[in-house]
Amino acid sequence: MAQKSFRQALNEALHFEMGRDPRVIMMGEDLTGGAGANGVKDAWGGPFGVTRGLLDAFGPERIRDTPISEAAFIGAAAGAALTGLRPIAEIMFVDFAGVCLDQIMNQAAKFRFMFGGRAKTPLVIRATYGAGSRSGSQHTQALYPIFTHIPGLKVVIPSTPYDAKGLLLQAIRDDDPVIFLEHKMLYDTVGEVPDGAYTIPFGEARVARDGKDVLIIAIGRMVQVAEEAARKLAAEGISACIIDPRTTSPLDEDTLLEFTETIGRVVIVDEANPRCSVATDISALLADKCFDALKAPIKLVTAPHAPVPYAPNLEDAYIPSADAVVKAATSIIKR
Amino acid sequence: MSALQFSREELVNVYRTMRTIRRFEERVMQEMGTGDIPGNTHLYAGQEASAVGVCLQLRDDDYISSTHRGHGHSIAKGVDIDGMMAELFGRASGTCGGKGGSMHIADLRKGMLGANGIVAAGAPITCGAALSAKLLGTGQVAVAFAGDGAMNEGVMSESFNLAKIWMLPIIFVIEDNGFGEATANAYVSAGSFTRRAESYDIPAIEVDGTDVFSVYAAAGEAVERARAGGGPTMLHVHVPRYYGHYSGDPDTYRTPEEKAAMRRERDCLSNFRKRVKEVSLVEMAELDAVDAAVEAEIDRAVSAARAAPFPPLAALTTDVYVKYL
């Protein structure tokens, strides 16, 4: 199978689905870059190069560079989804969702329910998230707990190039609003990605690594951290299993419960802030549903309850590390 | 535009719709008093000529979006009043199965994209509907109704910009009843609304919203421009608001004299009767008959709503997603 980057996997999904379904359109800031500049088109191919080539393939009616105006174009995407199109709107950094949260939280998420089931909202909002780029507090948050909290939204956080392509195709074909979050430090990671189209259903966790001594549940980029930790644990003779939920809404409760029942020791690794987070939510679920199977307390490895800092040493310390995961795992193995 | 340009039948229809909105609202106010309508409602009475004048220019498949004060727009766009009344009573037979309520009435079959509990939120959504119409080549237009209060939300300006750069088939209808909730527009709005639109190169028309013929004429110009690919238009419609901001509002910021004068001098229904009488197109007795028929229709809607069942408890978790997780 071909080796492709996370960025390339996403680009292939967008190309494929726009070619297949003429109702799919895209809008966002600098989606191509260079619109309106003298003779320059698709200069950026999107701020992270994910949307390169789409303008040539599908033209400016379907690939729309928007004004810096999130509330207007996310709202327009929601309205277009309600009236027959299947828009993909891009929020350059998920931090900017604050500017247009009304349109996500009060409008798109609620159309179907408020209208008594007589509406659907096939909207995908793509956004980058995550720390590691030295970009300071307003361009680096992992805000998926906010969206996961809101009924009506589906939240997708791929961790591999293979999953990125399959989950994005699924997101575009889904008739509900989907928040699709791409960690900017994952764009250059490489993995096996088939050339053709394939979808990955929402609400199905992936077993990223088999193991029997400790279960590590990791989200998004934290799957990489968990894998590094698992290698270190293996060197100490500890066998770690890694589960990647892939979507936090819907959440694959069954798989999480099943593996917890079998293994009995759990570490949850989450880049988001810890209060009211996905990590605390999963922890509460496991404590509620399989307390008797637990051989030790559930350990959470998360960012601190603080904004993402700028100074390199602070940002590095902010992001959950493999060593912190190893420490958490060994602390419960020894019990 | 004068009454003479309408047929007799059209005049009676215009009157019927305005009267239906008025009686719907008066009856809702009355029923709020019985406690059988949950929560609160925001009543449109006094503003009927605006919704009716605009919607009369629209096709059945054109889109509108509305505000907190959405009953009038819904009725003018053809949403069934039995369903609306049942929705206000929170019943399963309501427009939204009892899950929306007064502030969220929507009916996509009639192009009604929803009243909205968030001020100005309908504007970008309606830009999206206009974009759908444009890209799918359907020839539809979209109307975003908003109040004077919405004009001070940033998203309104953003929507003007988007509508113009994308040349969307959209009409922004700003219904200025003089108050954003309880605060006078004059106290919180700088400059002029029409100049705000004009600064985006969006043509703007100031309209007397107590005269359905003036609204109809202005909306006609705007709809024609939108359908011909000429982009957005803004109508700044001046209307009275008969009740307070919401149904429980004691409305203490206006004097009884002011309110009496408003009803005496700025009533779109009396205005309509006067204009029609002048040109002798319709007998007043015929309009009286419309009043009686509307009365009976609203009575039936209230009785049916009251007799209808509440939604089943299972409805609590349906319609969150296309398929519940």
Side-chain angles (χ1 to χ4, degrees):
Chain A
M1 211 185 293
Q3 294 282 312
K4 291 167 193 167
S5 73
F6 196 93
R7 172 185 291 107
Q8 202 180 345
L10 292 168
N11 183 276
E12 278 187 9
L14 294 168
H15 263 283
F16 183 87
E17 201 57 14
M18 290 200 72
R20 192 185 76 96
D21 186 347
R23 294 169 303 169
V24 178
I25 63 163
M26 290 193 66
M27 55 178 90
E29 294 146 355
D30 301 309
L31 217 52
T32 72
N38 193 18
V40 181
K41 300 192 307 179
D42 209 14
W44 281 13
F48 293 90
V50 174
T51 43
R52 186 173 294 284
L54 289 162
L55 179 68
D56 278 343
F58 303 107
E61 287 287 284
R62 291 180 66 197
I63 308 289
R64 308 179 83 89
D65 279 6
T66 65
I68 300 173
S69 197
E70 288 86 0
F73 76 77
I74 293 296
L82 198 57
T83 52
L85 295 176
R86 303 185 74 86
I88 303 165
E90 180 176 304
I91 299 176
M92 197 181 284
F93 295 88
V94 75
D95 314 67
F96 307 165
V99 177
C100 56
L101 195 56
D102 170 58
Q103 290 295 335
I104 302 172
M105 169 178 82
N106 293 319
Q107 311 298 332
K110 292 181 172 55
F111 285 152
R112 184 170 177 79
F113 187 84
M114 290 193 309
F115 301 172
R118 297 188 183 109
K120 58 181 185 177
T121 314
L123 165 68
V124 179
I125 297 176
R126 291 178 45 242
T128 65
Y129 81 98
S133 57
R134 315 302 188 215
S135 304
S137 300
Q138 296 171 343
H139 286 67
T140 45
Q141 295 167 88
L143 292 177
Y144 40 80
I146 289 180
F147 303 112
T148 306
H149 183 73
I150 298 168
L153 300 178
K154 293 176 177 171
V155 183
V156 182
I157 313 164
S159 66
T160 68
Y162 180 91
D163 283 3
K165 182 173 177 181
L167 289 167
L168 183 54
L169 281 166
Q170 177 69 29
I172 304 169
R173 293 176 192 181
D174 199 284
D175 281 336
D176 293 315
V178 177
I179 310 291
F180 191 94
L181 294 169
E182 302 161 15
H183 200 298
K184 36 191 155 344
M185 306 308 283
L186 287 179
Y187 279 132
D188 290 324
T189 58
V190 172
E192 289 188 343
V193 178
D195 290 332
Y198 59 95
T199 57
I200 297 170
F202 292 164
E204 285 189 13
R206 176 176 71 98
V207 181
R209 181 189 175 105
D210 252 329
K212 59 179 178 48
D213 298 329
V214 62
L215 171 63
I216 305 175
I217 299 167
I219 300 158
R221 188 194 177 198
M222 291 301 104
V223 175
Q224 279 190 343
V225 172
E227 280 166 345
E228 190 189 336
R231 285 191 293 273
K232 291 185 173 186
L233 287 165
E236 294 174 32
I238 297 168
S239 152
C241 171
I242 301 172
I243 304 272
D244 169 9
R246 299 200 282 207
T247 60
T248 56
S249 181
L251 181 69
D252 183 356
E253 296 188 11
D254 292 346
T255 300
L256 298 178
L257 292 171
E258 183 194 323
F259 278 78
T260 303
E261 287 282 352
T262 313
I263 299 173
R265 292 186 170 85
V266 182
V267 178
I268 305 172
V269 195
D270 182 357
E271 184 180 325
N273 302 118
R275 297 283 86 81
C276 294
S277 67
V278 175
T280 54
D281 178 64
I282 292 175
S283 172
L285 170 80
L286 302 182
D288 181 30
K289 299 272 176 69
C290 43
F291 187 78
D292 290 338
L294 290 171
K295 296 170 189 158
I298 298 165
K299 287 289 173 192
L300 270 52
V301 181
T302 72
H305 192 66
V308 183
Y310 171 66
N313 64 324
L314 294 183
E315 188 178 30
D316 289 347
Y318 179 95
I319 302 166
S321 67
D323 287 343
V325 177
V326 168
K327 195 175 160 202
T330 47
S331 80
I332 53 173
I333 293 287
K334 284 172 188 157
R335 284 175 69 98
Chain B
M1 175 68 60
S2 87
L4 284 168
Q5 289 167 263
F6 283 77
S7 74
R8 230 182 110 265
E9 196 193 345
E10 283 168 341
L11 286 171
V12 172
N13 279 336
V14 168
Y15 181 78
R16 179 180 295 114
T17 312
M18 293 203 297
R19 176 59 74 186
T20 303
I21 297 172
R22 176 68 55 86
R23 283 306 294 151
F24 188 92
E25 297 294 66
E26 288 170 347
R27 190 60 186 270
V28 166
M29 190 65 183
Q30 189 186 328
E31 298 299 329
M32 291 299 305
T34 69
D36 288 342
I37 294 180
N40 268 301
T41 55
H42 304 76
L43 300 178
Y44 193 72
Q47 307 185 185
E48 295 84 351
S50 176
V52 175
V54 170
C55 290
L56 209 56
Q57 293 283 8
L58 300 181
R59 300 190 328 214
D60 212 40
D61 66 342
D62 286 333
Y63 295 115
I64 67 163
S65 69
S66 179
T67 67
H68 286 70
R69 212 171 296 292
H71 306 160
H73 305 128
S74 303
I75 293 171
K77 192 63 176 60
V79 179
D80 165 53
I81 65 162
D82 291 340
M84 286 177 59
M85 194 63 86
E87 187 62 30
L88 293 187
F89 276 81
R91 308 300 166 124
S93 54
T95 320
C96 304
K99 293 165 89 165
S102 169
M103 275 194 284
H104 307 302
I105 286 176
D107 189 348
L108 296 182
R109 293 165 302 187
K110 292 288 177 184
M112 168 52 182
L113 303 175
N116 211 306
I118 308 294
V119 172
I125 293 168
T126 315
C127 285
L131 180 64
S132 286
K134 184 174 173 166
L135 293 187
L136 297 170
T138 59
Q140 293 160 287
V141 302
V143 175
F145 287 99
D148 49 282
M151 282 300 286
N152 295 325
E153 290 275 9
V155 73
M156 208 72 214
S157 302
E158 290 188 40
S159 298
F160 288 161
N161 185 53
L162 205 64
K164 185 64 189 186
I165 58 168
W166 288 355
M167 287 302 269
L168 297 175
I170 187 169
I171 299 112
F172 298 99
V173 179
I174 311 305
E175 295 177 325
D176 182 352
N177 59 33
F179 286 88
E181 302 195 8
T183 300
N185 177 32
Y187 189 76
V188 291
S189 296
S192 105
F193 291 165
T194 49
R195 284 212 311 273
R196 288 190 198 179
E198 282 160 359
S199 74
Y200 290 92
D201 271 344
I202 294 176
I205 311 171
E206 196 131 6
V207 192
D208 173 7
T210 66
D211 175 12
V212 72
F213 302 109
S214 301
V215 177
Y216 178 79
E221 188 185 324
V223 169
E224 195 183 332
R225 177 178 296 119
R227 275 205 226 284
T233 304
M234 186 243 251
L235 308 184
H236 181 185
V237 186
H238 295 274
V239 287
R241 187 185 80 198
Y242 279 8
Y243 297 104
H245 167 59
Y246 66 101
S247 49
D249 176 3
D251 199 358
T252 42
Y253 41 86
R254 301 188 287 189
T255 65
E257 294 73 32
E258 257 181 283
K259 285 184 265 189
M262 175 174 70
R263 288 183 183 240
R264 194 170 58 243
E265 292 155 23
R266 301 184 65 206
D267 184 76
C268 60
L269 285 160
S270 339
N271 194 351
F272 181 91
R273 279 179 168 261
K274 190 163 148 275
R275 296 282 298 277
V276 169
K277 197 173 180 181
E278 278 165 11
V279 293
S280 309
L281 271 168
V282 183
E283 294 293 325
M284 289 302 110
E286 193 170 349
L287 298 185
D288 293 343
V290 168
D291 290 358
V294 165
E295 190 67 34
E297 206 185 338
I298 303 283
D299 272 344
R300 273 197 307 275
V302 170
S303 304
R306 195 165 260 128
F310 286 105
L313 282 181
L316 205 51
T317 52
T318 57
D319 309 323
V320 180
Y321 305 93
V322 169
K323 188 164 164 268
Y324 195 70
L325 304 171

